[in-house]
Amino acid sequence: MIRVGVFVCWCGSNIAGTVDVGKVAEEAARIPGVVHVEQNKYTCSDPGQDSIRKAIKEHRLDRVVVAACSPRMHENTFRKCAASAGLNPYLVEMANIREHCSWVHSDMSVSTPKAVDIVRRAVAKVKRCVPLHPSTIPVEKRALVIGGGIAGIQAALDIAEAGYDVTVVEREPTIGGRMAQLDKTFPTLDCSSCILTPKMVDAASHPGIRILTYAEVEEISGYVGNFEVRVRKRARSVDEARCTACGICILKCPTSRDSEFNMGLGTRKAIYMPFPQAVPNKPTIDREICRHFTAGKCGICQKVCPSGAVDFSQEDQVLTEKFGAVVAATGATQFSVEVYGEYGYGRYPDVITGLELERLISSTGPTDGKIRRPSDGKIPKTVVFIKCVGSRDENKGYPYCSKACCMYTAKHAILLKEKIPSASAYVFYMDVRAGGKDYEEFYKRSQEMGTRYVRGRVSRIYPLDGKLIVQGEDTLLGERVEVEADLVVLAAAMVPQPDAPEMARKLGISYNQYGFFSEAHPKLRPVETNTAGVFLAGTCQGPKDIPETVAQASAAAAKVISLFAKSELSTNPNVASVDESLCSGCLWCSNVCPYKAIEEKIITERAGKETVTRTVASVNTGLCQGCGACTVACRDGAMNLLGFTNEQILAEVEALCL
Amino acid sequence: MSLDWQPKIVGFTCNWCSYAGADLAGTSRMSYPASVRIIRVPCSGRINPVFVIRAFQRGADGVLVAGCHPGDCHYSTGNMYARRRFLIARRFMEYLGMDPARLEIHWISASEGQKFQEVIKNMTDRIHAMGPNRKMREIL
Amino acid sequence: MGYAYYPGCSLHGTAKEYDMSSRACLDFLGIQYRELPDWSCCGASSAHSVDHTLAVSLPARNLTLAEQMNLPLMTPCAACYSRLRGAHHALRSDPGLAKKVLTVLGSEYKGRYEPLSILDVLYQYGPEAVGEKVTKKLKELRVACYYGCLLLRPPDYAKFDDPENPGKMERLVETTGASAVDWPHRTECCGASLSLSDTKLVVSLATSIVDMAVRHGAECIVTACPMCQANLDMRQRGRTKLPVYYVTELLGLAFGLEPKRLGLTTHMVNAISLLRAKQLA
Amino acid sequence: MKALLIPGLARIESVRDETAAGDVKTFTVQFLDEKDRFDYMPGQCAMLSVIGVGECMISITSSPTRDRMQFSVKKSGRVTSALHELEAGHTVGVRGPYGNGFAVNEWRNKRLLFIAGGIGLAPLRSAINYCLDNREDYGPIQIIYGARSPGDLCFKDEIFKNWPGFPETQVQVTVDKGDESWNGPQGFVPSFLKEIAPSPDNAVAVTCGPPIMIKFVLQALSELGFGDEQVVTTLELKMQCGVGKCGRCNIGHKYVCVDGPVFTLSQLRALPAEY
Amino acid sequence: MNDLREQLKEAVASAFSQGRVRSFVCLERGFYPFATMPAILHSGSDADRVEIGLADAPLLAKYLLDMPKPAGIVVRSCDALGVSRLIRDRRVKREDLYIISISCPGVVDTAKIPMSMHRITALEKAGDALIVHTALGPTELPWSSVLLDRCLACVSGAASTDADVVLDDGRGKPPAPVDYSEIDEVEHMAPDERYAMWEKEFAKCIRCFACRNACPACSCRKCSLDLPEPEWLSRAVILPEQFMFHFTRAYHVAGRCVGCGECERACPVGLPLMKLNRKFTRDIETLFGVDDARIPRDVEVLGTFLPDDPEEFC
Amino acid sequence: MLHISKHNLLSLLTHASSSWQVFCPSKQGSTVNFGWFEGTVDTVAIPVNSCKGAFLPQTEELFTYRGTPETGLSLTGGFDGQKPVLIFFARPCDARALTLLDRVFLEGEYADDRYRSRRARSVVVTVGCKSPLDTCFCTAFGIGPDSKAGSDVFVYEDETSLYFEPLTEGGAGFVAAHLAYLAEGGTPVSVMEELRRAELPLAGRIWVEGMAEMLDSMFDHPVWEKMSARCRGCGACTYLCPTCYCFSVFDAPRGTHGKRYRSWDSCQFSDFMLMAGGHNPRPTRKERVRQRFMHKFNYGVKRQGDYLCVGCGRCIRACSVGLHAASALFDLKEAGR
């Protein structure tokens, strides 16, 4: 027997001022199923809640409608209240007669009937509510950090410091990421390596942190608190335990290729460490070029290794482990500037990107820190910097601002002056964005050091007589400018990793039109994703500089820590549910599920005299977030959303149209 | 049609954006015609176009479907599906002869109380001018 | 299958040699084409800047004629190409305009085929395949490929190639055995549209283009636009004069066709002497 | 002319829970308008409406010899569930009487054997009370009744108190599975019946219950020597009109609603085994 | 034609003899000598019954649902799309099927043979003509004038290649051009006029569900429209419910309709159901850039989206 | 005989519609259907549906209720007779079918008040079938192009005119009410002759004699399996059949008021017999197809004394897979041999 109690709130004069509350109560009493109606001055107050509890008991209410404010305000309050009176909290429905009625209509003659309709809707819905029970799921208190750049390192350190185990998965042979490639950092001009490498070592030596380099996440299943992750640890061909990092193998290796770490400006061997401070400080054999693997010959490294660490027979290891939370810190990469045909990158060796310049400036770089132009090794006298290459350009690149380029270009100009005092620097820019602590001052400094900032775009670069002719426009002067440069540096945009969408799919999170991972809310949940238990750190979420990256990494770590502080999670019971007798098993629902929460299930049942098996959809309630997209995709009507069932919504429609 | 006839608009709104937008209109005391009655669903992806037909059948003069702006879905992609569904469903309803003004779909964010107000005002005006809906409607 | 061939006004007038060489090449390669019957002006001259509906209707008429033949429309002229592409694009994206044009033309344009440049057609045929047909290698001829504006801009719809760093013409030219020089002014505007109204400016533009080609070691210029060809041919005032060929003329030579049949005798800057010097003609 | 498919409105006088699980309730109803009232015979049915939900055919469980009309309803589908939601004072729709009913006049002076399982006692109860109220017209009455559990037994007052008090009236009750409160027999009705082994002499056996029970009871009866003419059962099928028009409840050419629901076993044997 | 039939018989028989199938659905001679009807064969010895189907050939894909597997089927291209539909809807598994595809010159719609020609005794295809034999003698009709509507929009009459056996005699009907002019016509009407038209059409509908039951895209185990709770569709055959029914039916096959037109052929009261289905098909093609929305795809059009789908709402 | 020029037919019907509810064939889109007169009539085609809907509407309201079981109820909208029904241009098979429906709805203990009140003052005007279709086989049931059973007026049609022959008092009343439109004189002898001679191509193939008795022993015959294998389970055949009459009753609640309806139902639907607990006594198409034909050719004979089929051929036209009365009769005959 359905016995609905309706509690009409005055909300002081907030509701009663413009809605005839007495009339609403009177009409509510006539709605079939309603057995008790009362009015309260403030239903959310202690006495108000008491009266609900009392009425539930006295009138044997099994459903409650509170006609008051927005459910976004007090639904939880009244659910808890009902629960304290022994009623399942999901048998409570709110009728929003304040935000949607009393506050927006001043004429009582229209607001009162509308309030009645709203109550009628709520009653129609609540009559079709069924008790729901959140279930609890245990939390595996281990975190996975994907990406071993500064973001991943920071997040791992913070989580581990809180006492939880962390695994960092990095696909390169070393952690360190982009920051390791940088020479100095703005605006303080700290040496990048000097501040990064100690952290790398900290991470590597932390008892709570396990670092898997040369490894990739292949698959993530499960849900918050219970992710199951498959990691492929690629064969290094070097036994890390035996290797003493003496480096003799590298020395003797006969094969080399362009060094990725040096942006192709130098070479590395087939057995190599990306850079001397790599962590782990063990070489890796690049099987693509190693002659042992390509031609079955050589094997010099094995012969020269004093500790017998080189192991050609090593195989990829596949680890499957459980984690309670995941921090994605997969970073970003550099825009492919080749699409700017007018700049001639790729055709003219002296047109380089900012990151390439970093390597030319860096003392660990191919030129030992001397800025020499790639074509002929000459010291450049005139350097042109071009900003916004690939960013803020809808035609060829991306519309967004890449954020760090203004500052690193200023840094480059300063460093250029420091290294080659006689050099002159031109910066072609659209705007200078120097929002950040000490940033504007830093930019000023580069100007004061003589960098010429030209507001305008470059239309063409072409070589002529050993120089690069940079043609552009100074839009402030309205003139064509032509600079004869020795070196051109393109401030290439930060863009998502090419495989970011693939990673997003593995993580079950969304990404924006460019491929940056989407946060759950741009303001209020900037490090969470819409998949519970997956957090974001660093440039995988959008372009940012080092301080921002580190801050976000620590924030993500804090989220992980607060998740791990609970021993169990309770799940939202408003989840999708399948009526297996109706389900045809087309699994179209699983297509539209943003959370990969719908799986295929084989059931066995009697059909006439036979036993048959068939496929049905099955909802993983740990993963389901209750959006309901699947219910509309389901033609059979087999998929329903608890708390928002088809029956309920149709009843609401009907109640509103009476 | 009497002068004080007020259209009846059934509004389906997602919980996170459009319902909240309507709440904001309320907290900001933005008055609008008392024509709309809202059904709260978690996401615009939960709104079955068949619900819309049902509303017209039962006597709604207009139906509003509202959700987060594409790209801002709380569930990341629900409104993208809603957009596809309603792109074709709305055209189809028109094809069956339903006046397009009677079914409106809007993206209203939680911060767009004013937009909610305007949408309701405009929709009410348009439907008011057209009079009660008789198409697909059952007579009791 | 094949193409509807749209010569356009220029090719029936000042650029007769482009028409001759185009047809010669197509015939030689065995590419099927039929001249669009009853074709009319594409409006490139002035109509397109006077009245938008007219600017679309004129090329649309030709496009519709071709569509009725169930053939894609192809033109050697870069200006016609630009107009045809522009109209095709406008009609497909603007139903209101399409309706207007429909009332002008009386028949509907569905836009089933993209209009093509003869370079597209040669490219579809395949540079390798073209190369295989070459009988006379244009060895040691250093060519500056000049694209001009109309084949590449505006990139929303013209886009025969990367507008900033094109290379398709080079690939075609290199199939003949000639070498294409890397030079910066390939996509510079030659100013042809101002040829009569601001001759001084045009002369300086044309001269600087030709000079740049010379500085990069080119012996001749190749183009696919009757405007560019005429302009560069007529208006260059540099120390070294370069002959300006149509792509199809060079290809024709490489196919071993008679220079006369290709119209090589009608150029302003002597187009034969260089070839003679190189023992190519 | 009386409208065929329009129910009369009736007030629920009282609702009684029959079983521990609350899945069977007995409703006593009273027509609001005297002109809707109808006379009936044991074994006849009526269409019970929960207006707004629908109708279903329910056998009348009261005896015409007593004044109030009663229906015992097991909750099984939409309408019966809705019915179970109703309370005393609420309104239902009733139209009838439908069906042939039991041939109580032909049973005169015979020994009567009623065999029921679960809610199957409901239609028999009408006949039992009718015969008991006309006790002198009938021979000895033996009632064999079973249910899944003690809590599932219906009409407990009558089976344990009322009926055994009548002369020559025997009530034997079994449950499939007993509990701590139960000290009576345990086992399924058909085997219970075979144990009791009533004599077929001058007897009529009337049975109603779940299909599977009926199937084995009929077997048992025939083993006990009951002829097909002596065995009577009632059938149930989906019905919409109750008056042989909607074309639904036929078995062969017989409509359960008008030709039944009471059939002798010999009548049933003449019908197809399937539907 | 006969050759094809002989080949087909042989192929069916050998499917049984090789143990590839337990059952086979094909066409056989119907009650009227010139029409065909579906037959479900259970043994190779029945293969003699197999007919190609010159006229009124029903589509067979949906029979696969209830047939003992592995099941064989003879398909022409329209039916092949239906089979593909069922496979993508996971209602049958490809590995449980044995598909013989045949080429098809089109199927005659006997309803299009003018009424004057009563007493048809036989039909015969001769080149580009249909020869109708009646009691009064033979008459020749242009082939294209008597084809089923679905054949006029045929994807291709060639035998489809996703089959275990492909029998193509090269006489398949060439692909028909895409023509949405009848949709345009409706769209050009005023809303009230459109509504009045559909009102009149739907008033004829007797809700017999022939359309649904014939449709290869309507393969739910239990149609939601039959559910008592929630009641999406009332059993009352009144206009508002007719709109509900026809909207829902068409919407449920939107993006999934294979364009076979069997619904329309099955409709006993002649509702122009394809005008509904094809509206969706057309909109899907134009709005979502889908090329020929009739072809079943791994991911349904409505089961996916593009971030830059057209924005008609704001 | 009284006759009317075909040109004047519409004026007659328009006039008739002031005192009758006229149910006649008219062109509806691509088909000709029976329906309530709306200004047009088609006198040529045999409509796809039958005229049973005039007396047993596909959906009719039984009552409207207000209130709830909890708060009290009132029922309104009981059926009151409206204008009498005029069926115009029934075919002999249609008219005969009405007499079969009459037996179901009017005879026995429970007569259907609604059917009766619609039927009571109705007039059935039947036109002789000059050109039966390839699908017609009424002769198998003793009906023919000039059969008059069930008709109140019989109409002979020649090229220009319609000749009215009243057969019953009601028919005479109808004719009398329209004398203004009718001219006296002439007997359409040649038409009568033509009707007598009209040939039904199917006649030779269909045989029903003894069918009912034969079916008595065929309930478990494998032929049902074979026949039903191709059934798609729709209700087209039953809904278009002039003698099928199954219906269901259901409620449409709308808050505190609502309606109870009755609507045609079809024994071919899978949920026709589905019981509340989920049990289905006719679980597969075999049982349902068997029910359909057994009802028509066996149970009907036993209960109503005649085959519930008039050979109108509508199911032949309706069925997309060729499972119809004619093929069934043919197959059953073969099987029963």
Side-chain angles (χ1 to χ4, degrees), chain A residues 577-579 582-590 592 617 628-640 646, chain B residues 48 85, chain E residues 220 224 232 251-252:
Chain A
S577 125
V578 185
D579 181 339
L582 297 179
C583 178
S584 297
C586 70
L587 292 177
W588 204 34
C589 48
S590 73
V592 303
C630 53
T631 59
V632 186
C634 180
R635 299 176 297 279
D636 314 56
M639 190 62 87
N640 228 331
N646 290 328
Chain B
N48 195 326
R85 289 167 186 156
Chain E
C220 290
S224 61
W232 295 101
Y251 177 70
H252 279 187

Side-chain angles (χ1 to χ4, degrees), chain C residues 194-253:
Chain C
L194 301 173
S195 198
L196 300 175
S197 50
D198 192 347
T199 313
K200 223 175 112 192
L201 172 73
V202 175
V203 164
S204 89
L205 285 172
T207 306
S208 83
I209 289 168
V210 176
D211 280 356
M212 193 56 82
V214 173
R215 288 182 74 175
H216 283 79
E219 295 166 317
C220 62
I221 291 177
V222 170
T223 182
C225 172
M227 310 288 155
C228 299
Q229 196 280 339
N231 202 38
L232 293 181
D233 206 14
M234 271 196 299
R235 306 269 186 235
Q236 53 174 297
R237 300 283 185 271
R239 208 172 306 154
T240 317
K241 302 234 168 177
L242 296 188
V244 184
Y245 298 110
Y246 289 108
V247 180
T248 45
E249 290 175 337
L250 278 196
L251 286 175
L253 279 172

Side-chain angles (χ1 to χ4, degrees), chain B residues 14-45:
Chain B
C14 80
N15 178 48
W16 305 96
C17 288
S18 305
Y19 193 90
D23 275 359
L24 179 62
T27 45
S28 319
R29 310 296 199 275
M30 296 167 169
S31 87
Y32 52 82
S35 50
V36 70
R37 312 277 190 274
I38 288 178
I39 293 172
R40 181 172 69 120
V41 291
C43 175
S44 51

